[in-house]
């Protein structure tokens, strides 16, 4: 009792302080919002498409080595793909038209082209290698001096200008490469984010209007979400200027900012309205709200932050970026909810109910009101009447839905996530069809020697390795300098790399050789072109075979390493899978301990974890059905089956465990409260479900709307994340909370609350009571009330004194009064 009294006084002081400083706080908030808008505005231009490489991995080493010392390989590379609809390569006009475009791109100052190789810069037999099978497509590879960030920002604009300029002339121009691809993804991410916001914000407002019954409360809720997003964008922009952050962090922060921020405001505003409806003053209602729902919000935020922080155990840029964004936006949601929102509620007071929507009538919208709780109560009672049947059916359904998850395959994003209407996607597709499916993402086999590779022994070993690679399954061809060098030195091709010979090579051949052999002849690359895409299983199998061949190459004094897009994707997948047990282990321990200390129960945290695992499995199964199998994917705007992006499963896991734990705490906290009072397990569960289901359902509906908006309007990775979270939240708020929780708790009975060394909680032993019997009285005239005097209440706030003492009438004494002496509670009767 003393602890509660101290907490009440502390809350009173907080409310009193907020009341005095409310206008300075609002003014400061407006200023900070303006600053955040300015600082966070450039965030999209600061984000990177990188973060997929594993530092220190073999693929990363190869990628770095290929940036210097080769022709048409630079800090970043692009391939200019030109398709002529009017002319073929054997017609006079073709060369002039293609060369004009390629030369224009190569001369673009912003790209800082350092070297080039392709149709426009070669002649004769060498040029033929850069003409597609249709005879109407040509390409040129450009090595750029511009850094990847600059290229990503500039290339989408250049692509748009080229397409608009040359389309009327029957020329399709595309810029193919990592920088152009991620630049396009960045642009699509921004437009998708705008579309998602346009789709979700009106829907969120409608849901809030239905939940609150008033416009003012709905707008206040939205302000919490928007504030959280703007604040997190500002912090992320500052961080992005110092280190690389993935472009997906912006979408994730927006998604969570809207979902979590609005959800938190729902908890607080609903409780505030409820307390006002009970007749409390504004200050009293606000103090009770902060003491109850405020604590829930803080606990919820800490849970999410703790769960998302486990992702920092995976040293992959894209995952740590998203985890950082999630932690920052949730932290802002907590701060906004417990500092700014109370100030707004203090200012608005009873006006929080203003702007009532017509369909809600005059009845106050208070989640958990008795009339709403009736149907939830009946559902819980029906489930607990046949617990084995309902629990068995729910488990069978979840396990059945989870079965497709065994086929889940993940990989890094590729050109398939870009719509087919994009010129860059068209360039990727055309290059694959005309030059080989694997031409856009060859497997790079890098041979590195401390001495020049121009010896007969090295030549023989490299030729043997090239032949071995060509004979592997799923290989279309191997591109290298060997065929060109054989024209100069048939028996020992690499002998032509000796400076005296190499300098005398024809310019075209010299440039071609320079694309595969470094200037000092210490490094040589063989590009293995697969018959499938980088993410295809056949290409992954080919990568393993290539790595085996490289390990046994036996080139004297040289090391052989394998890189490329497929190697990078496999390395990141391996890194995630290797660290996944640690992430899951730490996350489960954190969540178990949080629930253990919250409920003082051994079994309830285990039950919660098992339910979450079932929900995650079902969600993964549905993801596989929709995105990998293509079941209904067209409804989401997805163009055919696609792999699950490799960061999605682990991110879903962390988010679902943290968010579902919030609902679990909210529900079980009320169930425990009822059980302590009554000792009746079944009745306590029914009442707990009935009192929390409206608010949990409302919060879940908001989450589903937010995440679902990104499933319909975002790019593929965000579609998968948004869809997965919407499905997971829907499963958790319905099948888990309304069926599995009541059924399992009914079966466990009093063991729900078992804790070694502690007794199972229940109603207090019968305490002595003082019964005031009903006695006849003679009614008398009421005494005139005494004018109330201001006094300080338990919250330290000056309020009017309680109702004056009056003489009891016969009506007042028509029922017995019971006073529990142990708790010294006085029951007052009011007319």
């Amino acid at each position: 009792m003393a602890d509660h009294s101290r907490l009440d006084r502390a809350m009173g002081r907080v409310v009193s302080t907020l009341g005095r400083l409310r206008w300075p706080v609002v003014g400061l908030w407006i200023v900070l919002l303006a600053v955040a808008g300015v600082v966070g505005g450039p965030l999209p231009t600061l984000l990177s498409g990188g973060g997929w490489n594993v530092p220190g991995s073999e693929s990363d080493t190869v990628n770095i080595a290929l940036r210097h010392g080769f022709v048409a390989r630079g800090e970043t590379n692009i391939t200019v793909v030109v398709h002529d609809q009017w002319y073929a390569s054997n017609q006079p006009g073709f060369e002039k038209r293609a060369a004009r475009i390629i030369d224009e791109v190569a001369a673009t100052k912003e790209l800082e082209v350092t070297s080039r190789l392709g149709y426009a810069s070669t002649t004769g037999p060498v040029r033929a290698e850069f003409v597609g099978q249709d005879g109407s497509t040509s390409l040129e590879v450009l090595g750029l001096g511009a850094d990847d960030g600059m290229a990503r920002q500039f290339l989408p604009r250049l692509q748009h200008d080229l397409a608009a300029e040359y389309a009327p002339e029957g020329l399709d121009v595309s810029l193919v490469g990592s920088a152009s691809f991620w630049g396009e993804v960045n642009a699509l991410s921004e437009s998708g984010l705008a579309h998602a916001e346009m789709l979700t914000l009106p829907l969120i407002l409608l849901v809030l209007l239905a939940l609150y019954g008033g416009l003012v409360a709905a707008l206040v809720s939205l302000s919490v979400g928007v504030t959280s997003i703007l604040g997190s964008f500002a912090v992320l922009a500052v961080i992005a200027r110092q280190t690389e952050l993935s472009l997906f962090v912006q979408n994730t922060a927006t998604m969570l900012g809207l979902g979590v921020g609005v959800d938190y405001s729902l908890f607080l505003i609903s409780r505030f309205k409820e307390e006002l409806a009970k007749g409390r003053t504004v200050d009293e209602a606000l103090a009770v709200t902060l003491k109850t729902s405020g604590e829930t919000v803080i606990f919820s935020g800490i849970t999410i932050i703790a769960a998302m922080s486990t992702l920092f155990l995976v040293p992959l840029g894209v995952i740590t970026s998203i985890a950082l964004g999630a932690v920052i936006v949730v932290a802002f949601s907590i701060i906004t909810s417990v500092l700014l929102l109370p100030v707004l509620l203090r200012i608005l007071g009873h006006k929080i109910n203003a702007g009532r929507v017509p369909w809600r009538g005059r009845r106050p919208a208070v989640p958990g009101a008795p009339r709403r709780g009736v149907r939830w109560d009946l559902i819980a009672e029906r489930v607990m009447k046949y617990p084995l049947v309902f629990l068995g059916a729910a488990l069978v359904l979840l396990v059945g839905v989870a079965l497709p998850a065994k086929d889940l395959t993940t990989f890094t994003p590729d050109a398939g996530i870009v719509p087919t209407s994009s010129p860059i996607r068209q360039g990727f597709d055309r290059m694959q069809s005309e030059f080989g499916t694997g031409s856009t993402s060859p497997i790079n086999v890098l041979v590195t020697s401390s001495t020049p590779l121009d010896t007969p022994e090295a030549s023989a070993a490299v030729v043997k390795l090239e032949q071995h690679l060509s004979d592997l399954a799923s290989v279309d061809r191997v591109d290298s300098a060997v065929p060109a060098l054989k024209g100069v030195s048939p028996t020992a091709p690499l002998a032509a790399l000796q400076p005296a010979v190499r300098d005398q090579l024809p310019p075209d051949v010299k440039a071609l050789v320079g694309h595969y052999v470094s200037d000092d002849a210490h490094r040589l690359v063989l590009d293995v072109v697969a018959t499938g895409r980088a993410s295809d299983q056949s290409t992954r199998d080919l990568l393993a075979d290539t790595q085996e061949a490289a390990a046994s190459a036996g080139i004297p004094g040289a090391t052989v390493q394998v890189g490329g897009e497929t190697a990078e994707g496999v390395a990141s997948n391996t890194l995630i899978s290797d660290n996944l047990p640690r992430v899951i282990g730490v996350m489960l321990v954190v969540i178990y301990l949080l629930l253990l200390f919250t409920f003082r129960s051994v079994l309830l945290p285990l039950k919660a974890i098992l339910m979450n695992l079932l929900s995650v499995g079902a969600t993964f199964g549905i993801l596989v059905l929709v995105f990998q199998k293509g079941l209904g994917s067209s409804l989401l705007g997805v163009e055919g089956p696609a792999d699950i992006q490799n960061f999605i499963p682990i991110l879903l896991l962390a988010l679902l465990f943290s968010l579902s734990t919030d609902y679990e705490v909210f529900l079980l906290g009320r169930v425990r409260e009822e059980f302590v009072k009554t000792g009746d397990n079944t009745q306590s569960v029914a009442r707990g479900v009935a009192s929390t289901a409206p608010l949990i359902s409302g919060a879940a509906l908001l989450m589903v709307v937010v995440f679902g908006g990104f499933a319909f309007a975002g790019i593929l990775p965000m579609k998968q994340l948004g869809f997965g979270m919407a499905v997971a939240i829907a499963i958790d708020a319905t099948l888990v909370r309304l069926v599995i929780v009541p059924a399992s708790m009914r079966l466990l009975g009093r063991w729900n609350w078992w804790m070694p060394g502690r007794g199972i909680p229940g109603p207090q032993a019968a305490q002595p009571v003082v019964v005031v019997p009903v006695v006849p009285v003679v009614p008398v005239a009421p005494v005139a009330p005494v004018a109330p005097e201001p006094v300080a209440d338990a919250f330290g706030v000056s309020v009017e004194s309680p109702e004056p003492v009056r003489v009891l009438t016969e009506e007042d004494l028509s029922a017995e009064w019971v006073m529990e002496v142990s708790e010294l509670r006085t029951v007052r009767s009011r007319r």
Side-chain angles (χ1 to χ4, degrees):
M1 294 293 291
D3 290 340
H4 286 292
S5 179
R6 284 196 294 269
L7 183 59
D8 290 342
R9 287 194 295 270
M11 286 297 107
R13 287 192 292 271
V14 170
V15 171
S16 179
T17 302
L18 291 177
R20 291 195 308 271
L21 302 178
R22 59 188 182 276
W23 293 116
V25 170
V26 171
L28 179 62
W29 170 58
I30 294 173
V31 171
L32 291 178
L33 274 184
V35 173
V38 173
V39 176
L43 178 63
T45 63
L46 301 173
L47 300 178
S48 166
W52 306 99
N53 59 303
V54 179
S57 65
E58 188 171 300
S59 59
D60 188 45
T61 301
V62 172
N63 181 43
I64 294 173
L66 292 179
R67 294 176 185 173
H68 306 285
F70 295 88
V71 173
R73 299 183 196 263
E75 288 293 332
T76 187
N77 311 306
I78 61 168
T79 300
V80 184
V81 180
V82 181
H83 175 72
D84 197 326
Q85 301 177 21
W86 297 351
Y87 294 89
S89 59
N90 58 0
Q91 296 176 300
F94 180 87
E95 178 182 353
K96 182 179 179 180
R97 286 156 60 88
R100 176 165 58 97
I101 297 172
I102 294 171
D103 290 342
E104 178 184 331
V105 175
T108 303
K109 181 179 178 181
E110 291 81 356
L111 297 181
E112 300 178 23
V113 175
T114 57
S115 58
R116 51 189 289 191
L117 176 68
Y119 181 83
S121 58
T122 58
T123 58
V126 174
R127 168 178 280 186
E129 296 188 20
F130 300 99
V131 177
Q133 297 176 7
D134 62 354
S136 298
T137 303
S138 59
L139 60 81
E140 184 103 359
V141 183
L142 306 179
L144 309 183
D147 62 74
D148 185 68
M150 174 61 190
R152 281 187 298 99
Q153 295 176 37
F154 179 74
L155 287 173
R157 298 198 303 270
L158 178 61
Q159 173 66 77
H160 178 272
D161 294 342
L162 290 172
E165 179 181 355
Y166 290 106
E169 299 181 33
L171 292 164
D172 301 322
V173 185
S174 300
L175 304 177
V176 176
S178 174
S180 59
F181 165 69
W182 286 112
E184 181 75 354
V185 170
N186 203 357
L188 292 172
S189 179
E190 286 188 63
S191 63
L193 180 60
H195 292 157
E197 290 172 344
M198 292 174 60
L199 177 64
T200 57
L201 288 177
L203 291 176
I204 292 172
L205 186 59
L206 287 176
V207 173
L208 290 174
L209 287 173
L211 292 174
Y212 291 131
L215 179 62
V216 172
L219 293 177
V220 171
S221 267
L222 275 179
S223 71
V224 173
V226 172
T227 299
S228 303
I229 293 170
L230 289 177
S232 63
F233 278 11
V235 174
L236 289 171
V238 172
I239 296 174
R241 287 183 170 91
Q242 309 301 321
T243 186
E244 183 181 57
L245 290 181
S246 169
L247 60 89
F248 293 119
V249 72
Q250 183 181 16
N251 294 71
T252 306
T254 302
M255 192 186 303
L256 284 178
L258 285 175
V260 174
V262 175
D263 250 19
Y264 287 172
S265 66
L266 175 64
F267 288 137
L268 288 160
I269 294 175
S270 297
R271 186 58 183 258
F272 181 70
K273 288 162 64 70
E274 183 179 347
E275 296 303 322
L276 289 179
K278 291 178 180 178
R280 295 186 187 273
T281 66
V282 171
D283 286 343
E284 290 174 339
L286 189 54
V288 173
T289 299
L290 288 176
K291 192 177 80 168
T292 54
S293 297
E295 290 180 0
T296 300
V297 164
I298 293 173
F299 178 87
S300 167
I302 291 174
T303 303
I304 295 177
I305 290 173
M308 295 305 297
S309 295
T310 61
L311 296 182
F312 291 117
L313 295 173
V314 183
L316 191 65
V318 64
I319 291 181
T320 55
S321 294
I322 293 175
L324 179 64
V327 167
I328 290 174
V329 77
V330 172
F332 268 101
S333 296
I334 298 173
I335 294 170
T336 306
S337 297
V338 299
L339 291 182
L340 172 64
L341 180 57
V343 171
L344 297 180
L345 295 178
R346 176 65 177 76
I347 292 172
L348 290 170
H350 288 276
K351 292 179 182 179
I352 194 67
N353 293 313
R356 189 165 303 283
V357 293
W359 67 80
R360 292 300 298 267
R362 300 295 300 172
R363 181 174 59 82
V366 181
R371 191 171 72 83
R372 288 189 190 173
V374 171
R375 65 175 183 269
W376 304 109
D377 186 58
L378 293 176
I379 292 173
E381 289 177 354
R382 176 60 61 90
V383 169
M384 288 187 290
K385 187 176 181 180
Y386 307 102
L388 285 174
V389 174
F390 279 96
L391 181 60
L395 293 179
V396 168
L397 178 60
L398 287 177
V399 172
V401 174
L403 286 177
K406 69 182 188 301
D407 298 326
L408 187 146
T409 58
T410 64
F411 209 69
T412 52
D414 59 15
I417 72 173
V418 178
T420 54
S421 57
S422 165
I424 289 179
R425 168 66 184 275
Q426 293 169 5
F428 273 91
D429 291 345
R430 179 161 284 121
M431 188 170 171
Q432 290 175 357
S433 64
E434 300 301 326
F435 296 91
T437 305
S439 61
T440 56
S441 53
I443 297 174
N444 307 127
V445 179
L446 177 67
V447 179
T448 305
S449 174
S450 57
T451 58
L453 293 165
D454 55 10
T455 65
E457 294 79 12
S459 181
V462 168
V463 170
K464 181 181 179 181
L465 175 61
E466 183 194 40
Q467 186 59 52
H468 185 182
L469 294 174
S470 300
D471 294 337
L472 294 176
S474 303
V475 172
D476 183 10
R477 68 179 186 275
V478 176
D479 291 335
S480 73
V482 172
L485 294 175
K486 280 185 176 180
V488 180
S489 178
T491 57
L494 269 60
L497 295 177
Q498 296 174 5
V501 180
R502 187 173 183 175
D503 291 342
Q504 302 301 316
L505 293 175
D508 293 349
V509 176
K510 186 177 181 180
L512 181 63
V513 170
H515 186 63
Y516 298 105
V517 182
S518 63
D519 296 335
D520 59 5
H522 285 217
R523 290 170 294 155
L524 177 147
V525 64
L526 305 171
D527 287 339
V528 181
V529 179
T531 56
R533 298 181 302 120
S535 59
D536 288 351
Q537 187 58 50
S538 61
T539 308
R540 299 190 211 190
D541 294 339
L542 173 60
L543 173 66
D545 294 339
T546 302
Q547 291 170 331
E548 184 179 341
S552 60
I555 301 176
T559 60
V560 183
Q561 297 168 300
V562 180
E565 185 178 330
T566 303
E568 183 180 86
V570 169
S572 62
N573 276 6
T574 301
L575 182 69
I576 293 173
S577 60
D578 288 348
N579 286 278
L580 186 59
R582 283 201 304 161
V583 172
I584 295 177
V586 173
M587 188 188 308
L588 295 187
V589 168
V590 169
I591 290 176
Y592 182 84
L593 292 177
L594 285 171
L595 295 178
L596 178 71
F597 288 112
T598 301
F599 298 118
R600 298 296 191 270
S601 168
V602 171
L603 298 179
L604 285 180
L606 290 176
K607 176 183 67 66
I609 288 172
L610 290 175
M611 289 189 307
N612 287 343
L613 291 174
L614 284 171
S615 296
V616 169
T619 301
F620 287 175
I622 295 174
L623 277 176
V624 170
L625 288 176
V626 173
F627 291 99
Q628 287 186 211
K629 308 296 183 182
L631 183 63
S633 61
S634 60
L635 298 176
L636 300 176
V638 178
E639 300 171 342
D643 289 328
I644 307 299
Q645 306 303 295
N646 62 0
F647 66 92
I648 297 296
I650 194 171
L651 188 58
L652 277 176
L653 185 72
L655 285 172
L656 176 59
F657 264 85
S658 55
L659 293 176
S660 63
T661 300
D662 298 341
Y663 297 152
E664 185 82 359
V665 170
F666 190 63
L667 169 59
L668 295 186
R670 190 62 65 93
V671 173
R672 180 183 172 84
E673 180 183 334
E674 294 292 335
F675 185 75
V676 170
K677 290 179 182 178
T678 66
D680 187 326
N681 181 69
T682 303
Q683 185 183 59
S684 301
V685 174
R687 288 182 178 178
V689 171
S691 60
T692 60
L695 193 54
I696 289 178
S697 300
L701 179 59
L702 283 170
M703 288 281 193
V704 170
V705 168
V706 171
F707 294 135
F710 282 83
F712 283 95
I715 59 174
L716 183 62
M718 291 299 105
K719 285 180 184 289
Q720 292 178 346
L721 179 60
F723 179 79
M725 284 305 303
V727 168
I729 294 297
I731 291 174
D732 187 79
T734 54
L735 197 58
V736 172
R737 301 292 150 216
L738 298 180
V739 179
I740 296 180
V741 168
S744 60
M745 293 191 74
R746 172 69 177 83
L747 293 173
L748 287 172
R750 295 175 65 84
W751 287 100
N752 283 307
W753 312 106
W754 175 72
M755 180 80 172
R758 298 174 62 92
I760 295 177
Q764 299 288 336
Q767 300 289 338
V769 296
V770 177
V771 179
V772 181
V774 178
V775 294
V777 297
V778 178
V780 295
V783 177
V786 180
E789 297 180 359
V791 297
D793 71 343
F795 304 106
V797 180
S798 179
V799 297
E800 290 187 351
S801 63
E803 292 181 356
V805 177
R806 58 186 175 80
V807 177
L808 300 177
T809 65
E810 184 176 6
E811 180 181 354
D812 294 318
L813 298 175
S814 60
E816 290 184 345
W817 288 3
V818 179
M819 175 182 293
E820 294 184 12
V821 176
S822 63
E823 298 188 54
L824 301 177
R825 293 179 180 170
T826 301
V827 181
R828 297 194 309 171
S829 174
R830 294 188 180 183
R831 286 188 174 183

